[in-house]
Amino acid sequence: RDNEAIARIAQKDLADDGYEREGHVTALYGFPADFDPTQLKDFFQGPLNIDLCCIERFRAHSGRPDSDCLVVKISSSALKEMNTALRKKYPEVKNDYPDYKPHLTLAYVKTGALKDLDGSTVFESETFTIQDMKYSAADKTVETFHLA
């Protein structure tokens, strides 16, 4: 089922960044460059269950002009609670996204491409358990935390 929607994303519809090569769900974006991720070690409790919903899009950020971000919306009260708790504990984290909208990025497509996928429920009812959280720093280093 999931490959059905992805297979419809033709090369001609892709923006410069193309397919998301490393699937992930962002819990909070924008930690400062000097943040010590070991502070998060005791913060994460888990595992986290997430439910996939419909496909939607949003305008990609300014670093990706002329593209839309095609995503699968995620439903997870635990993930929303984690975002709220992280924002409260780390007020120094700043980003341009005041409303947390958990999602799984499929691809970056040309603006307006593949509008027929908007609202598609091909991924709906898929449930996953997240067992690891990764902190990805701006310098591309990654710290992995197993959710116990």
Side-chain angles (χ1 to χ4, degrees):
R1 275 180 5 154
D2 54 8
N3 291 333
E4 175 185 324
I6 294 170
R8 296 201 27 225
I9 303 172
Q11 192 69 33
K12 69 177 181 60
D13 296 316
L14 292 173
D16 288 342
D17 285 345
Y19 292 107
E20 176 61 55
R21 299 283 181 211
E22 191 163 321
H24 66 278
V25 178
T26 302
L28 181 60
Y29 176 80
F31 283 90
D34 62 349
F35 182 78
D36 177 9
T38 60
Q39 296 179 57
L40 300 171
K41 183 176 69 172
D42 296 324
F43 186 85
F44 297 125
Q45 301 296 316
L48 292 172
N49 293 318
I50 62 170
D51 297 313
L52 301 185
C53 302
C54 66
I55 294 176
E56 59 184 24
R57 77 179 59 231
F58 54 85
R59 191 88 175 109
H61 64 73
S62 60
R64 292 183 168 108
D66 303 321
S67 64
D68 291 336
C69 187
L70 200 59
V71 303
V72 179
K73 186 176 177 180
I74 290 176
S75 175
S76 172
S77 58
L79 201 51
K80 285 185 177 187
E81 289 168 11
M82 179 183 289
N83 175 268
T84 300
L86 283 167
R87 284 180 187 264
K88 184 175 181 180
K89 184 166 181 156
Y90 302 106
E92 69 273 20
V93 174
K94 304 289 183 210
N95 64 51
D96 295 332
Y97 310 103
D99 299 320
Y100 180 59
K101 297 178 181 177
H103 62 276
L104 178 64
T105 301
L106 296 174
Y108 295 93
V109 298
K110 293 175 183 170
T111 303
L114 301 165
K115 287 270 191 189
D116 59 312
L117 286 178
D118 293 352
S120 170
T121 58
V122 68
F123 292 101
E124 207 161 76
S125 302
E126 296 286 338
T127 299
F128 292 91
T129 301
I130 297 173
Q131 297 182 356
D132 292 300
M133 297 292 284
K134 293 182 179 183
Y135 175 86
S136 300
D139 66 2
K140 307 292 184 199
T141 58
V142 176
E143 182 90 25
T144 302
F145 303 93
H146 185 68
L147 302 180

